[in-house]
Each structure stands twice: as structure tokens, then as C-alpha cells.
Amino acid sequence: MELTKTQKVSASMVGSNSLSGISAFCIVQDAVTEFMGELKIDGPTIKRKYNAFWVFVRTRIKFYKSLMWNDEYTVTAFISSKSLAKMNIDVEVRAGSDIALYGRVELCVLDIATQKIKKIATVGVDDTITTQQAREEITFSRLDNMELTFIEQIKVRSTNIDYSHHTNNVEYIRFILNTYSTRELEEKDIKEIEVAYLSQTYENDVLDVFKAKRSGKDYIALQCGGKPVVKCEIVF
């Protein structure tokens, strides 16, 4: 099974020159959650039925072609792999016959009471939910042992919070991309972005932002009180 839908790039999705990186992550996140809703394994459903919740472990997106305001695109989401404790959902975005971007989200399930990882089969991901072959190669990075330099602090505000009352995953992309100027984002050709989500943060938390540049890649890390929150790799 897969989710397929066609839509247009709206004005609010465009940055200073084309589809913004934040909007790209929104497209992927929305496709994943909508697809899971069709499978009846979405967040509200498994919370109600199994007292559990999904966690986005990490997301990696490859960018192939810029999308402009009013461009029509087709989104396809499907499960590319699953194991006892994890599931990968791939999202392909096409403009006509061309791939505009391709992303992969790795998810796991936590028990609300114990905060421990549960088998995905315990929340309805059984043998009737099948996988499909990935259409593009996606390799997650380790994102560890990075020596980064502190650059700024950010306070999590009310508009950064999602319905679970912690910081929305997409808001971390906003924090990360805000470490670049408008000119840098226009001139730099971003090929891939990976974000690993390590822990949750909440309204009024103060995040320390660290960054380093290494041979065509930038690494950004967010911490809260010295605890790792997010690690990111951007490939140019």
C-alpha cells in the first residue's frame, strides 16, 4: 500500500527563491503521518488503543530539483523496510517525470507509561502491512564524535510546540537553517539534510546551538542543559 497525492507549492511554502527547506520537511512529515493514518497506525490511534506513541528517530532528505511557487508536484509515501522495533517510511516528491526530493523517516514506538521501546507489531504493524522496494538510495550517517563550536542560544516559544506539547520536529529545521543568512541559503546548493532526534524539548527550554564545517558538509547540534537534543548533517 502507498499514499499518493498531487498538490501545488503555495506561497507560504516558498523561501526567498524556491521551496524552503522547512517546507520540504513539512511535506515529508505530513505525508508520513497521513499515510500512517490511512493504515490506522497513526499517533492518536496507537495512543488510544495501545497507550503508545511514535517517535521520529531520524529523517534524511535528498534534494534533486527546486520547486517554485505554483509548481504542481506528486507525493508518494510507502514503507521501505521494517524490523521488530523500527520502520522506515520513504517519501518521493516528483514534479512531472523528475524527482524533486526524496526522503526517508525512521520511526520507533515508545510505551507511554514506561517510555521504553515497544515492538511495532504490538501497535498494529502486522504482516498485512507490507513493504515496497526503495526508489532511491538513502544512507543514514552516524553523526557522532563531532567537535563543534558554540554559536548561539535559542529559546523554545509557544509557536514551536506541537499537539503533544513538545517542540515540533520541523521547528528544529527552522532553528538549524536560521544559522545561515538569506544570501547563504540562496547561494549554497543543498544536496542532502539529515536530522537525528535524540530527546524532546518543551516551551521555554533554552537550546545551545553548535556548528562546524568540514569539506562540503556542515554539522549542527542542539543541546538543552548539556543534553543532546538534535544532530544534523547538511551536504552541499
Side-chain angles (χ1 to χ4, degrees):
M1 181 180 177
E2 64 181 34
L3 167 78
T4 301
K5 60 179 182 177
T6 300
Q7 48 201 37
K8 283 188 175 182
V9 177
S10 64
S12 63
M13 298 169 69
V14 177
S16 60
N17 58 358
S18 61
L19 181 79
S20 71
I22 297 168
S23 295
F25 273 81
C26 285
I27 290 172
V28 170
Q29 180 168 295
D30 289 346
V32 167
T33 52
E34 183 176 343
F35 177 49
M36 293 171 73
E38 292 195 359
L39 294 174
K40 302 295 189 293
I41 56 169
D42 55 278
T45 297
I46 71 164
K47 180 179 180 181
R48 182 181 69 254
K49 294 178 66 174
Y50 308 108
N51 199 40
F53 64 100
W54 286 104
V55 173
F56 279 40
V57 179
R58 48 190 175 179
T59 301
R60 191 174 187 97
I61 297 178
K62 289 186 174 184
F63 298 88
Y64 296 97
K65 179 182 179 180
S66 296
L67 291 174
M68 311 304 289
W69 178 34
N70 258 344
D71 279 353
E72 188 174 84
Y73 61 93
T74 300
V75 180
T76 304
F78 58 93
I79 300 172
S80 61
S81 66
K82 59 181 181 176
S83 63
L84 287 177
K86 292 182 180 180
M87 176 172 69
N88 285 340
I89 297 181
D90 286 16
V91 177
E92 179 187 66
V93 176
R94 283 187 173 272
S97 60
D98 298 326
I99 298 179
L101 61 92
Y102 191 96
R104 176 169 296 160
V105 178
E106 182 182 281
L107 305 101
C108 71
V109 179
L110 296 185
D111 182 271
I112 290 177
T114 66
Q115 297 293 298
K116 292 183 178 180
I117 293 177
K118 293 170 61 72
K119 293 180 180 180
I120 62 175
T122 64
V123 297
V125 187
D126 54 26
D127 292 339
T128 66
I129 296 179
T130 58
T131 63
Q132 296 185 29
Q133 184 175 354
R135 301 177 184 179
E136 295 291 322
E137 183 178 349
I138 293 278
T139 303
F140 290 117
S141 299
R142 292 182 60 86
L143 299 179
D144 55 7
N145 299 322
M146 297 183 292
E147 294 183 6
L148 309 180
T149 302
F150 172 79
I151 58 170
E152 63 178 340
Q153 284 189 325
I154 297 169
K155 188 173 185 179
V156 177
R157 309 307 295 263
S158 58
T159 57
N160 305 130
I161 301 301
D162 65 14
Y163 75 95
S164 297
H165 286 88
H166 56 66
T167 307
N168 193 306
N169 288 341
V170 171
E171 291 302 299
Y172 293 119
I173 309 303
R174 187 184 309 278
F175 299 154
I176 288 164
L177 293 180
N178 275 341
T179 65
Y180 299 92
S181 67
T182 301
R183 182 174 179 178
E184 285 177 309
L185 291 177
E186 289 176 345
E187 292 180 348
K188 287 178 175 288
D189 186 14
I190 296 178
K191 296 296 186 184
E192 301 180 52
I193 303 178
E194 178 177 336
V195 179
Y197 306 100
L198 306 174
S199 60
Q200 298 177 359
T201 59
Y202 305 88
E203 186 176 2
N204 294 321
D205 279 349
V206 176
L207 308 183
D208 295 318
V209 184
F210 300 83
K211 193 173 185 179
K213 299 178 182 293
R214 296 179 190 169
S215 61
K217 297 180 181 180
D218 284 2
Y219 295 93
I220 301 98
L222 306 181
Q223 295 182 7
C224 182
K227 181 180 180 180
V229 173
V230 162
K231 290 183 179 180
C232 173
E233 176 187 81
I234 301 180
V235 181
F236 299 100

